[in-house]
Amino acid sequence: MIDPKIVREKTDIVYESLKKRGIEFNIEALLMVDEKRRRLIQETERMKNEKNELSNEIARSKKGGSTPVEKIEHLRNLGKTIEGNEQELRVTEKEWEDMLLIIPNIPHSTVPEGKGDEGNKVVKFWGEKPTFDFQPLAHWDIGEKLDILDFKRAAKITGSRFTLYKSYGALLERALINFMLDLHTTEHGYTEVLPPFMVNREAMTGTGQLPKFEEELFKLEGVDYFLIPTAEVPVTNIHSNEILREDELPLKYVSYTPCFRKEAGAHGKDTRGLTRQHQFNKVEIVKFALPENSYDELEGLLLNAEEVLKKLNIHYRVSVLCTGDLGFSASKTYDIEVWLPGQNIYREISSCSNFESFQARRAKIRYRKTGGKIEFVHTLNGSGLAVGRTVMAVMENYQSKDGSIVIPEVLIPYMHGIRKIPPV
């Protein structure tokens, strides 16, 4: 959540942030609830102090042999009033927190203003688009012809927007996961973790998925657990309710997990093949950083994610998201968009974001400065990369006229020496 002090003392900044994001929110109502909350806190504390003083006076009177009936009655009434105030305060605190939890993060000053993805700004390109002496196919056609992706049988097993990887398709998916994990751990200095694939409500709230996006999540029946939409959720919450040391930061984690998303708003839109699946694999990179260094850490995290595509020698571009396309919890986000020649489009394959203290404040992730002061860390994460989308990028960029797929050089050791699908 954003700092309540900013809402209270710099309301104009919050107004401007919401306007840039194209979001309507009644800040006046929140300020009224906050004023009531602070008044109840002050009144309750004042009455508790009065109660303590009165209790001491009564004790002294009784010790002197007298029974101050009026004071005893006043003490009893004071206790009832305090109890009523505390009940009202709990309700008001909950109302205040619920309102704060649905205010999105404030965009960084370098984020371009815009209403939607058309306002995003391309900031770099890498590599060249491949050329073909034939009409390149989309990955779903390649996969079905080679019998390494089976969408029909997956639909029979579960439903639409699931995939059955077969034979060399399954091997390619696994090879990419292992390649990405090895790259980020051995060359980029991340610590590998394998977290639970289910999380509780507190963890989802900590990273900003709840309460706003509950309808997008798969919830388990009979228990307040959710299937994770991304490894960002369990990995960020590794340090929830903790105070880290300043000299520990930055902390860097990498994690492979499956991800589960309803993608409720995507019906009929980009849902063919591996593009928008209800279940997909992803390698996620997460950082916990000092506030003064977090934007340098974001640039480094972006380069770490880019390196996967560089080593695969696949053309891509990087865009910075505008205010209207920026995620709820993010202050700034870069999208890496890979080129897919079979579809003649760029497709997002990674989002790299700095959340500043937004998630840390919700999840209570802090650090102790050398001088002893405690502050919130800044959290960052990005896909390093989305594995299914990397599979389709390899298939479409490395397809051959005879219908085979050439294996990128860096993946050959992970493919047991296989240089082409199907092997010659």
Side-chain angles (χ1 to χ4, degrees), residues 126-139 142-143 146 148 172 176 179 307-316 338-343 349 389-412 415 418-422:
W126 186 89
E128 300 291 333
K129 294 179 181 179
T131 56
F132 301 91
D133 59 358
F134 61 94
Q135 182 62 44
L137 300 176
H139 68 279
I142 301 169
L146 293 174
I148 60 174
L172 179 59
L176 282 164
F179 160 63
E307 189 65 21
V308 177
L309 290 175
K310 288 178 180 176
K311 288 189 177 293
L312 292 170
N313 196 26
I314 296 177
H315 169 64
Y316 66 89
V338 70
W339 174 246
L340 299 173
Q343 302 170 62
I349 199 167
R389 293 193 177 193
T390 311
V391 167
M392 65 185 187
V394 169
M395 291 174 67
E396 294 194 18
N397 282 274
Y398 281 89
Q399 61 182 295
S400 301
K401 193 171 186 177
D402 63 3
S404 63
I405 304 166
V406 176
I407 302 301
E409 196 69 29
V410 74
L411 286 184
I412 292 172
M415 293 287 292
I418 294 172
R419 293 180 173 272
K420 186 180 284 191
I421 297 174

Side-chain angles (χ1 to χ4, degrees), residues 147-155 157 162-166 170 274 277:
D147 196 26
I148 60 174
L149 298 177
D150 194 328
F151 303 104
K152 291 180 181 177
R153 286 192 171 96
I157 296 167
F162 289 87
T163 304
L164 174 66
Y165 289 81
K166 297 169 64 178
L274 299 172
Q277 300 273 281

